[in-house]
Amino acid sequence: QVQLVESGGGLVQAGDSLKLSCAASGLTFTNYIMGWFRQAPGKEREFVAHISETGGLKYYADSMKGRFTIDRDNAKNMVYLQVNSLKPEDTAVYYCAAAYHPGKYTIWGQGTQVTVSS
């Protein structure tokens, strides 16, 4: 049973920080590029960041650079997204996803809600 489960979201104030977590199970975790996406109300899903299988390479959407940090712990089958200096426009459901083939995310979590108030 392949599963990705996000956690760590919540209601925060602008300027706060959050660390989102994604626990993977049922897959060979080290075979997958892991990514984070988000979807704000009324908008399409947006790419946030991804991290290579071994964690050596990280890539961020231009708008995410500086405040977002992706990391993974292959020993724990976990991927993380650290978000600092949150802004109201960061309000979204944040999803983690796994890609066996680059750019082809086939496994998705259920999402965790991040709500940032001003």
Side-chain angles (χ1 to χ4, degrees):
Q1 183 71 32
V2 177
Q3 191 173 31
L4 302 177
V5 180
E6 302 95 334
S7 62
L11 175 61
V12 298
Q13 296 184 30
D16 287 351
S17 297
L18 279 176
K19 187 175 183 179
L20 308 181
S21 299
C22 174
S25 60
L27 74 164
T28 304
F29 188 63
T30 53
N31 284 347
Y32 288 85
I33 298 164
M34 298 300 298
W36 283 97
F37 297 77
R38 69 183 187 183
Q39 188 167 24
K43 297 184 179 180
E44 294 187 354
R45 203 192 315 264
E46 176 186 29
F47 171 76
V48 174
H50 70 230
I51 185 167
S52 62
E53 293 90 335
T54 60
L57 296 174
K58 302 174 183 180
Y59 180 81
Y60 302 90
D62 287 343
S63 60
M64 310 300 170
K65 293 177 181 177
R67 297 190 298 115
F68 290 74
T69 303
I70 190 170
D71 209 347
R72 69 191 293 162
D73 185 342
N74 286 346
K76 297 181 178 180
N77 285 7
M78 297 285 290
V79 62
Y80 307 97
L81 183 70
Q82 176 72 38
V83 190
N84 297 326
S85 301
L86 281 156
K87 304 174 181 180
E89 52 262 43
D90 294 322
T91 295
V93 178
Y94 284 72
Y95 300 90
C96 67
Y100 187 85
H101 303 285
K104 306 298 182 183
Y105 291 90
T106 57
I107 307 170
W108 293 82
Q110 83 292 339
T112 185
Q113 176 71 48
V114 174
T115 302
V116 185
S117 65
S118 59

